[in-house]
Amino acid sequence: MDVDATTCGETVGRLARRFGLSRSALLYYHRIGLLVPSMGGDGRYRRYTQGAVDRLEQIVRYRAAGVPLADIRRILDRPADGLAAVLENRLEQLNVAIAGLREQQRVLVELLRSEGVHRSVGVMSCERWTGLLEAAGFTHDDMVRWHADFERSDPEAHREFLEFLCISKPEIEEIRAWAAKLGGGRRGAS
Amino acid sequence: MDVDATTCGETVGRLARRFGLSRSALLYYHRIGLLVPSMGGDGRYRRYTQGAVDRLEQIVRYRAAGVPLADIRRILDRPADGLAAVLENRLEQLNVAIAGLREQQRVLVELLRSEGVHRSVGVMSCERWTGLLEAAGFTHDDMVRWHADFERSDPEAHREFLEFLCISKPEIEEIRAWAAKLGGGRRGAS
DNA sequence: TTGCTCCTCACGTCACGTGAGGTGGC
DNA sequence: TTGCTCCTCACGTCACGTGAGGTGGC
């Protein structure tokens, strides 16, 4: 198939299009040594062999998870070494970043209200949430017990959920405190 | 009080500490002309007058919402002009950014699973969520009606919530589609 | 011959952080 | 006199994007 040395492998522009990347991204990966193509017969044009394409596939996958290029390089060079650590690290970073953006959202909604701009943009609020649950037949007691369950079974996710409702940090801690107190007695299996 | 020309206003380090900023941040604001102190009597040291302090307070507030410095400058120079537009624009950006990070989270959880790393980190999942609701006495029918209500009353927030559960985009659209179909008939006031 | 793709610099991005190397005030 | 704070460059960050200016292959 690809016996001819000059036409062996793909050119940079073609490869970029195939993976939905920009040409300059691939040039950059070459410059930092993350993805090095062979330079063809005369050493003038980049040629990406099958091995390079496979490697790029990996790179794209990790990039879609927001893993920085330096970490990707480490993973690809010795996968056994730090793969799990890198991925879990990134997950933790993501949680922190999302919490930060939620906080910005909260501040922003506050600013919009104090500035008198009303426009009911697609941001969740605590009131809207409880309204929906009530409309579905949830009583106040149900919600209290539900928070307790949630806090007991997965405290981190419970915190994240409260952040999703755009509740301020001190209020979140308050809710979690009484939820944890109530959640002491466990009931039912699973 | 502050009649003495040489001691009028605060120094940069002191002001930075008071606002929880770094000294270099204030130097930067000066360089780009966002917050210009008077240069004291001899023009050697920065002196921040009360007017500058008030301005900094505004800057810090908008920064806490992630508004870029260029936009903050525009807002402070003519507030009537583009304040609402800038803030709403930022809110939209935040929604996009959060959705992007959620997507990264989903990809990451997928990667961790395919790589065989199990560690039940604090990420919400659809199964865990329905499990919690069932434990609180919610039936499958209740959930269906609840999604329909949610989609009808605030489609954007509904989408955000489904993203929070780390559901993939096609599945989200599927759920919203049947929820919208069911939600056609409205019931009850408010 | 006309486009299309390819190439290599070099600079810009955003909001600072981090030294290096030196001076002023209590 | 000793620290503390102040000062001004100048370079680094992260992952590319964007020209400028020029060449190769169908």
Side-chain angles (χ1 to χ4, degrees), chain A residues 90 104 122 128 154 160, chain B residues 90 95 104 122 128 154 160:
Chain A
R90 176 61 189 154
Q104 294 195 0
R128 210 170 340 191
D154 193 338
E160 264 200 74
Chain B
R90 176 62 189 155
N95 284 336
Q104 293 194 1
R128 207 165 349 190
D154 193 336
E160 264 201 74

Side-chain angles (χ1 to χ4, degrees), chain B residues 19-82:
Chain B
F19 276 82
L21 299 174
S22 68
R23 216 176 65 98
S24 59
L26 290 181
L27 297 188
Y28 180 65
Y29 295 168
H30 183 189
R31 253 225 311 281
I32 65 171
L34 178 62
L35 184 70
V36 181
S38 65
M39 289 304 275
D42 55 355
R44 231 178 213 319
Y45 286 179
R46 290 171 180 82
R47 290 292 174 173
Y48 291 87
T49 64
Q50 185 57 43
V53 173
D54 290 348
R55 192 177 164 91
L56 180 57
E57 201 160 352
Q58 296 282 99
I59 293 171
V60 167
R61 201 194 312 285
Y62 288 116
R63 277 266 74 203
V67 177
L69 297 182
D71 286 345
I72 293 179
R73 188 204 309 255
R74 239 169 297 168
I75 291 176
L76 294 186
D77 286 357
R78 314 181 235 62
D81 194 45

Side-chain angles (χ1 to χ4, degrees), chain B residues 8-189:
Chain B
C8 165
E10 256 175 317
T11 77
V12 60
R14 205 172 290 275
L15 190 63
R17 259 200 304 280
R18 190 144 80 84
F19 276 82
L21 299 174
S22 68
R23 216 176 65 98
S24 59
L26 290 181
L27 297 188
Y28 180 65
Y29 295 168
H30 183 189
R31 253 225 311 281
I32 65 171
L34 178 62
L35 184 70
V36 181
S38 65
M39 289 304 275
D42 55 355
R44 231 178 213 319
Y45 286 179
R46 290 171 180 82
R47 290 292 174 173
Y48 291 87
T49 64
Q50 185 57 43
V53 173
D54 290 348
R55 192 177 164 91
L56 180 57
E57 201 160 352
Q58 296 282 99
I59 293 171
V60 167
R61 201 194 312 285
Y62 288 116
R63 277 266 74 203
V67 177
L69 297 182
D71 286 345
I72 293 179
R73 188 204 309 255
R74 239 169 297 168
I75 291 176
L76 294 186
D77 286 357
R78 314 181 235 62
D81 194 45
L83 195 152
V86 164
L87 295 189
E88 285 177 24
N89 200 317
R90 176 62 189 155
L91 199 50
E92 178 56 24
Q93 269 185 32
L94 275 175
N95 284 336
V96 172
I98 290 172
L101 293 188
R102 286 247 169 262
E103 175 63 14
Q104 293 194 1
Q105 216 174 37
R106 226 183 45 70
V107 170
L108 202 46
V109 169
E110 197 77 11
L111 274 168
L112 279 165
R113 189 158 35 197
S114 84
E115 232 65 60
V117 183
H118 286 293
R119 202 175 278 277
S120 97
V121 251
V123 170
M124 204 54 211
S125 80
C126 184
E127 297 76 29
R128 207 165 349 190
W129 178 260
T130 54
L132 275 167
L133 281 182
E134 271 166 17
F138 238 52
T139 69
H140 187 260
D141 269 11
D142 287 334
M143 295 187 209
V144 168
R145 268 185 297 122
W146 178 81
H147 274 294
D149 270 11
F150 202 165
E151 178 69 23
R152 176 161 50 78
S153 82
D154 193 336
E156 264 313 291
H158 189 206
R159 188 182 52 70
E160 264 201 74
F161 172 72
L162 292 170
E163 277 167 6
F164 169 74
L165 293 185
C166 278
I167 296 174
S168 72
K169 283 193 181 160
E171 276 182 282
I172 287 180
E173 289 316 311
E174 199 179 327
I175 292 172
R176 292 187 61 195
W178 60 247
K181 218 174 284 175
L182 284 175
R186 53 184 53 225
R187 6 162 242 142

Side-chain angles (χ1 to χ4, degrees), chain A residues 91-121:
Chain A
L91 200 51
E92 178 55 24
Q93 269 185 31
L94 275 175
N95 284 334
V96 171
I98 290 173
L101 293 187
R102 287 247 167 261
E103 175 65 13
Q104 294 195 0
Q105 215 174 37
R106 226 182 45 70
V107 170
L108 202 45
V109 169
E110 197 78 13
L111 273 168
L112 280 166
R113 188 157 37 196
S114 82
E115 232 65 61
V117 184
H118 285 294
R119 201 174 280 276
S120 97
V121 251

